[in-house]
Each structure stands twice: as C-alpha cells, then as structure tokens.
Amino acid sequence: MGRLWWCYFLLTLLINLFELRICKREQVVTPPLPILPLPTYSQLKWQQREIIMFLHFGVNTFTDREWGNGRENPQIFNPSDLDAGQWASVAAEAGVSLMILTAKHHDGFCLWPSKYTDHSVVKSPWKEGKGDVVQEFVNAASAKGIDVGLYLSPWDRHDKRYGNDFNYNEYYLAQLQELLNKYGGVREIWFDGAKDPKTKNVTYYFTEWFSMVRELQGSINIFSDAGPDVRWVGNEKGYAGDTCWSLINRSSLSIGNPNITHYLNTGDPRGTDWVPAECDVSIRKGWFWHKSESPRRLSELLDIYYNSVGRNCVLLINVPPNTNGLISDTDAHRLKEFRAAINTIFHNNLAQNCDVQVSSQRGGEEGGFGPENMLDSDHLGSYWAPSDEQEIREHWIEIRGRLRFNVVRIQEAIGLGQRIQRHEIYVDGRLMMQGTTVGYKRLHRVDGGEVEANVVRIRITKSRGLPLVSSIGLHFDPFWHSRFGMP
Ligand SMILES: *[C@@H]1O[C@H](CO)[C@@H](O)[C@H](O)[C@H]1NC(C)=O
Ligand SMILES: *[C@@H]1O[C@H](CO)[C@@H](O)[C@H](O)[C@H]1NC(C)=O
Ligand SMILES: *[C@@H]1O[C@H](CO)[C@@H](O)[C@H](O)[C@H]1NC(C)=O
C-alpha cells in the first residue's frame, strides 16, 4: 500500500513538473486590455479609407445655385454626357475607396425615379425620363471596386408635406427605405440637420430613421452632427481641432445645434462613445459646380490633408460634376496631383532603416510588443506596447540615424482605444514640436521647412492608460519644403 502510494505520488509530481515546463515554455504574452470606448468593425474600416469623395449634383448644377428653392423645373436637368464611369475613374485615380452622392438635396429633386414623388429624373429630358443617376453611380463604382454612400437631404423644399411632421417623416422614411433596399450595399449614409428657417418647428424623426438604416444595411456608417457612427467636425473648412478625440458624449450632442461646433471639433477625452469626426470640404468654393469657380491649389489641399487625416479624421472631399455630367478636367487633374503628392511624401519612411529604441516593452525582448511593430505595414494589429510595471513612468521612442526630414507621423493602435493625450518631439535633445492627441494618425510638419538630425525622440507625456503605438514615420515633404523658398 505504502509503495503504491509513493509511486502514485512520484508520478503525479513528474506529470505536474512536466506540464509546468511546457506551460512555461509556451506562455505567450497577452495583449493589454482595451480602454473603452472602442470603434466598431465598420468604423475601423471607415477610418482606414482616409479620403472619401463627395459628389454634389442635381438641379443646382444647372441653375448655378448652392441651395435650390424646390420650384425648379425638372426640364432643366439635362446633362449632355453624364458618365458615372468617369466619376469612378477619377475617384480610383485619387486612391478613393468610397464615393457619396447627393441622391436628393434641399431642393427635393431626386436623382433616382422615386415612386413617392414625380419631382425627379422621371420628369427630366435626360434619357427621356428613363434614367437613374443613382443606379449608374452604383454600377460605375462597383465596376471599379469602389464602395458607395448616399446623402438624402432631410430638408425638402419641394414636397408639400414638409411642415406636417407625421406625413413628412413617413415620406422621408419611405424614400430612405427605397434607396437602402434598391441599390445593394451602402457603406455610409449622410444626414444633416438643415431646416427651413421659417418653419423652425419641423421635427425630423432621427431615431426612427437611424433604426431603419441599421435594419436595412448591416455594415453602414451613419453620419450626422451627432453620429451615431461618424460625427461632423464642426466646420466646412476640412480642419479638425489640434486636439481631436474620436471619443465624445453622444448625450451632449443634438443634430443642427450650432452651439456644439467646438465640442465636435475636439471631441472629449472622457467621452463615453466612439464617434470619430469626418471633415467635409469642397475642392472648389461651392458644393455644386459653378462655371465661375476653379479648384483649390495643391498647397491648400495638402494643408487640408494635414489638418484632417493628420489629426485623426477622415477627409470627405467634394468634387462636383458639371452640366455635362462629368467631373471637370481641372478638378480631375488637381485630385490626381493631390494623390501623387501624398504618395511622394509618404512612400518613403526615413525611419525604416534606422535604429529604433523604446523606453520599455511589454513582456521584455521576447514579448512580441517591440519597436519593430511600429515599422511594419500593419497599422492596427501590431504595435509597440511599453511594460506595465508600476515603476516605469517614462514612455519614449528614439530613432537614430542620419536624418533629414520635415514630417513626423505617429499612429495609435486605436482598436484598443484612443489613449495618447500629450506628446513631445525632441530633435538632438532639443524640444522641437509638441501636441496633444494622436489617434489613428497624427502628422506634424516641421517649422522652417526641414531639419537634419541624428536622434529624434518622441516622448509620450500623458495618456489614458499605457500608450500603444502602431506606426511611426519620418518623411520628407518637398511641397512643404519649397514653401520656405528652399531649392
Ligand atoms: C409649424 O408652424 C407652422 C406655422 O406656424 C404651422 O402652419 C405648422 O402647422 C406647424 N407645424 C407643426 C408640425 O407643428
Ligand atoms: C445655443 O446657445 C444659446 C445661447 O447660450 C441658447 O439661447 C440656445 O438655446 C442654444 N441652442 C441650442 C439648440 O441649444
Ligand atoms: C462625458 O461623460 C463623462 C462620463 O459621464 C463625464 O465624466 C464627462 O465630464 C462628460 N463630458 C462633458 C464635456 O460633459
């Protein structure tokens, strides 16, 4: 009995020791816990698009107006060479993966043959009333592998039901269902809060509309002043706040409220909801095409890029088709230049072949969270994480090499929450730049046009929990450089 017991005891001990060894050897360092709120899958997809194209097109294109009054004769809608394939080609060449079309603007004229009104393409001479711009748009986008979004103006200056809340909301919802049922997958739906200033008592049933959108389109992002998925940035200049959180309190937002533009512009470090901002701006002065206007200069577009995409937002750039139904050559050309410039600037990461050191790393050298993760092409899943030991207070990244650059890029692993609240950039020991939030992408342009250095240190001085950095880059922007009169 005693011998048997000893055998059993020794065997158990051996098995336990063996298992302990295996476990120890295979113990992989876990990822850190996320910090809420987090983005949804669709919000992450949206963020990675960086640039989205808006197309304002309708009766205003033919009346040379920005806001129609609803009394336009549908006979004026007659684009001579409408070619949605050209729109999609322009978008594809600009590296755009989502296009949003104004299916209906405030004037109430529908670009598709809605069965709930005859104030539409049906009454126009275009294709003898048998055309459907929304369908052509969707087909052309699909042929180029581009996703589609739609704008359906809540304010309708044509329909007589406007002002009678119950009937009008039924009408609006009917058209929303029509659009979201008939044209396949829609990735973004765009709502604004514009109302007739003389009929202020009109109520839009946003709760019902949003619920219906969710029911009909599973992977859509809903844009409005107040989200729920994407929020307005608070201006139409294409500029986000210098501080820009994807976090905000939805309970503090309401659609069409002019008092919240600053809050929308910066977000809220204590926000309970993930509602990142989209920066809408037109390539021209107006949203609709006007003969008298021309596209912005490349330098202006680059400023917009740095202040939107470079501040944790997505840029929604409007490129309006003209009376021929085509994007003007000047605009197509400018957009192509814009994409080429972005590629020139960011194609080459000067930090790529440098020695990159960090203050600490989660799980030590073998933990899998080292600085190399900031130089790979995965900007969400792989990231540098500092050690979570209490005594470690300093968080920094150091890049060493012979460096000549004028742009610093920092990206957070936002899938685990937006964290960084303050950061500083030292060049050869001298504080050169500082900023607050980082988020999906933060870009800093160097004052004075360029800098030469041996050591660049990025210090993260304040953060919600530990900072997690998914990518860093040092770049050379020749367009910025030349603005300082440099060769
Ligand atoms: C809004 O006000 C206008 C003018 O005072 C009135 O005719 C209309 O019935 C009101 N609409 C609603 C929904 O109360
Ligand atoms: C905006 O602020 C003004 C002044 O404080 C206030 O009178 C108005 O009611 C506010 N509007 C909204 C929609 O909250
Ligand atoms: C947002 O909500 C959080 C949590 O309730 C709160 O701490 C914070 O103060 C709110 N922000 C604002 C601007 O009210």
Side-chain angles (χ1 to χ4, degrees):
M1 187 65 190
R3 272 235 310 264
L4 213 63
W5 189 88
W6 269 107
C7 275
Y8 174 75
F9 175 78
L10 279 173
L11 204 69
T12 322
L13 194 73
L14 273 173
I15 289 171
N16 280 337
L17 279 173
F18 186 65
E19 277 182 352
L20 207 68
R21 248 183 74 91
I22 292 183
C23 285
K24 203 171 160 72
R25 206 176 57 213
E26 288 191 349
Q27 195 170 63
V28 175
V29 182
T30 57
L33 281 176
I35 296 182
L36 302 180
L38 300 184
T40 63
Y41 180 79
S42 299
Q43 286 172 323
L44 277 181
K45 286 273 161 208
W46 166 88
Q47 188 97 45
Q48 289 171 285
R49 296 182 190 276
E50 295 200 356
I51 301 179
I52 301 175
M53 199 162 115
F54 215 162
L55 294 117
H56 274 65
F57 187 55
V59 286
N60 296 339
T61 312
F62 300 87
T63 56
D64 204 21
R65 283 201 189 132
E66 282 290 291
W67 282 11
N69 58 21
R71 295 190 299 272
E72 290 78 12
N73 185 341
Q75 290 290 319
I76 61 172
F77 184 83
N78 195 14
S80 51
D81 308 293
L82 190 142
D83 178 8
Q86 187 250 6
W87 308 350
S89 297
V90 170
E93 282 193 15
V96 164
S97 66
L98 171 66
M99 301 195 287
I100 302 178
L101 176 68
T102 54
K104 178 172 92 173
H105 204 254
H106 306 331
D107 52 74
F109 179 83
C110 299
L111 293 182
W112 82 103
S114 171
K115 68 178 173 192
Y116 302 105
T117 181
D118 57 5
H119 194 58
S120 76
V121 281
V122 167
K123 281 282 173 70
S124 80
W126 179 64
K127 298 205 164 173
E128 292 165 343
K130 296 192 178 63
D132 181 343
V133 183
V134 175
Q135 188 67 63
E136 294 197 13
F137 166 73
V138 167
N139 293 350
S142 152
K144 290 274 180 200
I146 295 173
D147 292 327
V148 299
L150 295 169
Y151 165 78
L152 180 68
S153 168
W155 183 18
D156 186 325
R157 305 184 76 180
H158 178 82
D159 199 85
K160 296 285 174 290
R161 282 163 279 199
Y162 193 87
N164 177 328
D165 279 352
F166 189 83
N167 291 349
Y168 181 71
N169 276 281
E170 277 193 351
Y171 170 62
Y172 185 88
L173 200 47
Q175 290 197 321
L176 195 61
Q177 292 175 75
E178 206 177 23
L179 284 172
L180 298 180
N181 271 324
K182 205 174 153 190
Y183 297 101
V186 177
R187 293 286 178 263
E188 183 163 337
I189 182 107
W190 223 82
F191 295 102
D192 59 23
K195 285 181 182 173
D196 185 344
K198 294 198 287 289
T199 328
K200 273 266 192 282
N201 60 359
V202 165
T203 305
Y204 299 141
Y205 296 174
F206 283 115
T207 309
E208 283 81 352
W209 299 358
F210 292 175
S211 299
M212 184 56 75
V213 170
R214 288 259 188 266
E215 179 185 321
L216 300 178
Q217 295 278 342
S219 51
I220 201 165
N221 283 308
I222 302 176
F223 170 100
S224 83
D225 289 3
D229 303 313
V230 178
R231 73 176 196 259
W232 186 42
V233 77
N235 64 58
E236 293 186 342
K237 295 198 293 268
Y239 278 37
D242 192 40
T243 294
C244 190
W245 291 95
S246 294
L247 283 50
I248 205 156
N249 289 338
R250 284 205 61 214
S251 57
S252 305
L253 305 180
S254 56
I255 301 172
N257 180 354
N259 297 352
I260 57 170
T261 51
H262 179 73
Y263 190 53
L264 290 172
N265 202 238
T266 59
D268 186 343
R270 279 180 288 276
T272 51
D273 306 284
W274 186 277
V275 191
E278 190 170 88
C279 303
D280 58 322
V281 65
S282 185
I283 194 167
R284 291 158 167 248
K285 188 165 169 287
W287 291 93
F288 285 88
W289 181 82
H290 305 287
K291 199 177 189 338
S292 59
E293 293 178 357
S294 49
R296 292 174 196 275
R297 292 190 309 273
L298 177 62
S299 59
E300 271 182 89
L301 293 182
L302 286 171
D303 286 345
I304 288 170
Y305 182 83
Y306 280 103
N307 288 305
S308 55
V309 177
R311 287 180 173 177
N312 184 36
C313 293
V314 166
L315 169 59
L316 175 60
I317 185 145
N318 176 65
V319 188
N322 58 25
T323 47
N324 295 331
L326 298 169
I327 292 170
S328 300
D329 288 343
T330 51
D331 302 41
H333 180 71
R334 185 53 41 81
L335 214 52
K336 206 168 153 178
E337 274 182 342
F338 182 39
R339 170 51 62 187
I342 293 168
N343 290 349
T344 300
I345 300 162
F346 296 102
H347 178 73
N348 197 10
N349 182 0
L350 303 162
Q352 197 69 50
N353 299 313
C354 291
D355 174 28
V356 179
Q357 304 282 328
V358 286
S359 45
S360 69
Q361 63 192 69
R362 182 179 181 84
E365 293 279 318
E366 306 298 318
F369 294 94
E372 64 281 0
N373 294 340
M374 296 184 287
L375 295 168
D376 64 16
S377 58
D378 181 352
H379 294 174
L380 287 174
S382 94
Y383 47 89
W384 162 62
S387 163
D388 57 7
E389 283 163 38
Q390 284 292 315
E391 59 273 21
I392 294 174
R393 296 247 159 71
E394 279 268 305
H395 302 299
W396 50 257
I397 302 155
E398 201 166 86
I399 306 156
R400 288 173 177 273
R402 287 221 40 82
L403 303 161
R404 175 173 172 257
F405 64 96
N406 59 12
V407 175
V408 180
R409 174 176 55 84
I410 314 170
Q411 300 191 232
E412 278 186 80
I414 57 166
L416 291 152
Q418 188 181 346
R419 297 160 178 245
I420 298 174
Q421 289 175 285
R422 198 170 297 143
H423 61 284
E424 299 170 341
I425 299 162
Y426 290 81
V427 173
D428 287 340
R430 191 166 55 89
L431 178 63
M432 184 131 197
M433 283 172 279
Q434 47 192 325
T436 53
T437 48
V438 171
Y440 177 67
K441 186 175 275 189
R442 182 64 196 245
L443 301 172
H444 289 283
R445 285 187 290 190
V446 170
D447 259 347
E450 71 166 351
V451 65
E452 286 183 37
N454 297 313
V455 186
V456 174
R457 180 184 278 217
I458 301 167
R459 278 187 70 203
I460 294 146
T461 50
K462 194 173 177 209
S463 151
R464 299 166 68 232
L466 291 171
L468 305 174
V469 179
S470 65
S471 186
I472 50 163
L474 298 178
H475 303 274
F476 191 80
D477 176 343
F479 309 93
W480 179 243
H481 187 247
S482 68
R483 276 202 234 175
F484 291 83
M486 293 181 177

